[in-house]
Amino acid sequence: MASPLQIRLFEPADWPGVWRLLEPVFHAGETFPHDPAISETEARVIWVEQSQTAMVALDADGAVAGT
């Protein structure tokens, strides 16, 4: 049976879905060492632009389910 998730490299169009997942986690301030008041722009730089590789998991409907 095939997995209902597709895992692939991040594409720029994925960012809104990735931010939807990351924003509450960053703002909670309990998981990552970044300022809980991090802006979306700062988060994108850290998560995507400064990373060597960013991956996403897409659900069966193509929505970002993980990163």
Side-chain angles (χ1 to χ4, degrees):
M1 182 168 126
S3 169
L5 292 177
Q6 174 192 9
I7 298 174
R8 62 162 170 73
L9 287 172
F10 169 88
E11 296 175 359
D14 298 326
W15 179 250
V18 169
W19 180 237
R20 214 172 5 265
L21 295 174
L22 292 179
E23 182 179 21
V25 176
F26 278 139
H27 289 176
E30 299 172 349
T31 305
F32 296 105
H34 310 299
D35 182 347
I38 193 169
S39 72
E40 180 177 354
T41 300
E42 293 167 322
R44 184 182 176 112
V45 168
I46 291 167
W47 203 260
V48 177
E49 296 172 21
Q50 290 182 348
S51 295
Q52 289 189 8
T53 303
M55 304 294 288
V56 293
L58 306 176
D59 66 17
D61 295 324
V64 176
T67 180

